[in-house]
Amino acid sequence: MRRTARSGHTARTWIAAAVMALGALLATGPGAASAVDAPTDMLPALEPLQRELAENDLVREPDTGITWLRFTGAPANLGSGALHVTGRRTKEEAAAATPGNNVIPAYQRISRSDGSSYELPVGLMTFHDEHKHFHMDGISRYRLINAGGQVVRESPKVAFCLVDLEVADSTLPGSPVNPVYNSCSHNANATTLTMGISVGWADVYAKELAGQSFDVSALMNLPPQEYTLEMTTNPLGILHESNRTAPRTTSVKVTIGQGVPVGVGGPRPGV
């Protein structure tokens, strides 16, 4: 009788253990396994390059007498995925566009770790009449800040034609050896166009180009002072990136005022 009772107890114990194991499996289910294997977004991460912002100078335009602080700006993509932006509109919308009001809705393609992708609206691309091609709006912001912390000059929304122009960090996984994005649409009537920055690459807008300068003529009449020249990428959070809620900023020091050497030149349109 003892042997029979022990066997029954053992059987009941085994059954209870099996039920608990089955319950645990049902509780976790495929959801837990899929959570581990779920694809992730491969997001870009824009950062301004300080070494490029350090390429700045003071020049006086001969024709106007304006003194410009010119500076180079370079947003680099140091994320895990490319910044890929596509513009799309109808032929009717393109035909209705006018100089100074020639825009196209923009969509950012987000690649995922499983090879899939999806799109999200990210504002507008605008045809730049001086540069003669489309720019993506809201890429950067420049500010000039005095020693007291006051912003004395600001360019709140700087647009860029996004291309792979300079290698920023070739060691990043997924960084291509050759540029992927290497041109912008010069067709003012375009209905579709694509631009972007690959992982490990940077776009560069040289200091000579229109939009890459501040008029500091009034500041040149003041005693010499050290200012902070600042560049921030994606300041309005328009683009989806890994550092979207904390835009990256870099800065350099510049001296402006009476007696500070000034060269000859000025901003110019670019291509």
Side-chain angles (χ1 to χ4, degrees):
M1 293 295 292
R2 292 179 181 174
R3 187 174 183 178
T4 303
R6 186 178 296 114
S7 298
H9 176 73
T10 302
R12 288 195 298 273
T13 302
W14 181 88
I15 292 171
V19 170
M20 292 177 63
L22 178 59
L25 178 61
L26 292 174
T28 55
S34 62
V36 174
D37 301 327
T40 58
D41 291 345
M42 309 289 285
L43 292 171
L46 292 183
E47 294 198 20
L49 297 181
Q50 186 185 53
R51 67 174 183 264
E52 295 293 350
L53 191 61
E55 287 292 321
N56 58 75
D57 59 18
L58 289 168
V59 296
R60 183 170 291 109
E61 196 169 9
D63 295 339
T64 64
I66 295 174
T67 300
W68 300 95
L69 170 64
R70 306 186 306 181
F71 40 83
T72 295
N77 179 8
L78 305 182
S80 59
L83 173 58
H84 180 103
V85 187
T86 300
R88 291 193 299 271
R89 63 181 174 181
T90 65
K91 291 181 179 179
E92 291 74 19
E93 290 171 331
T98 58
N101 187 30
N102 188 355
V103 299
I104 183 168
Y107 305 86
Q108 182 180 348
R109 186 180 71 188
I110 309 294
S111 296
R112 312 205 79 197
S113 56
D114 63 353
S116 64
S117 64
Y118 62 96
E119 284 190 345
L120 293 170
V122 286
L124 299 171
M125 296 179 183
T126 301
F127 190 80
H128 197 288
D129 293 319
E130 287 186 294
H131 290 188
K132 304 302 180 186
H133 55 214
F134 279 92
H135 286 188
M136 179 65 210
D137 292 346
I139 297 299
S140 297
R141 180 190 66 199
Y142 299 109
R143 300 198 303 178
L144 188 65
I145 305 168
N146 66 18
Q150 298 172 311
V151 177
V152 296
R153 298 288 185 276
E154 181 171 4
S155 181
K157 188 172 73 170
V158 178
F160 275 71
C161 165
L162 302 171
V163 295
D164 295 335
L165 198 59
E166 175 184 294
V167 175
D169 187 350
S170 61
T171 67
L172 292 175
S175 180
V177 175
N178 298 311
V180 175
Y181 305 95
N182 52 23
S183 65
C184 290
S185 176
H186 291 263
N187 178 10
N189 298 314
T191 56
T192 61
L193 59 117
T194 298
M195 62 178 68
I197 305 177
S198 298
V199 174
W201 285 75
D203 192 6
V204 181
Y205 264 58
K207 61 187 179 183
E208 295 85 4
L209 297 178
Q212 293 298 127
S213 55
F214 287 133
D215 180 349
V216 294
S217 303
L219 300 180
M220 289 298 296
N221 295 324
L222 303 177
Q225 182 180 151
E226 187 176 71
Y227 296 82
T228 299
L229 176 61
E230 177 187 273
M231 177 181 179
T232 300
T233 50
N234 196 18
L236 305 178
I238 292 173
L239 300 173
H240 297 266
E241 51 172 342
S242 58
N243 51 1
R244 186 184 185 190
T245 58
R248 298 297 195 266
T249 296
T250 193
S251 63
V252 295
K253 299 295 185 181
V254 296
T255 302
I256 303 172
Q258 296 172 342
V260 177
V262 177
V264 177
R268 62 173 177 79
V271 295

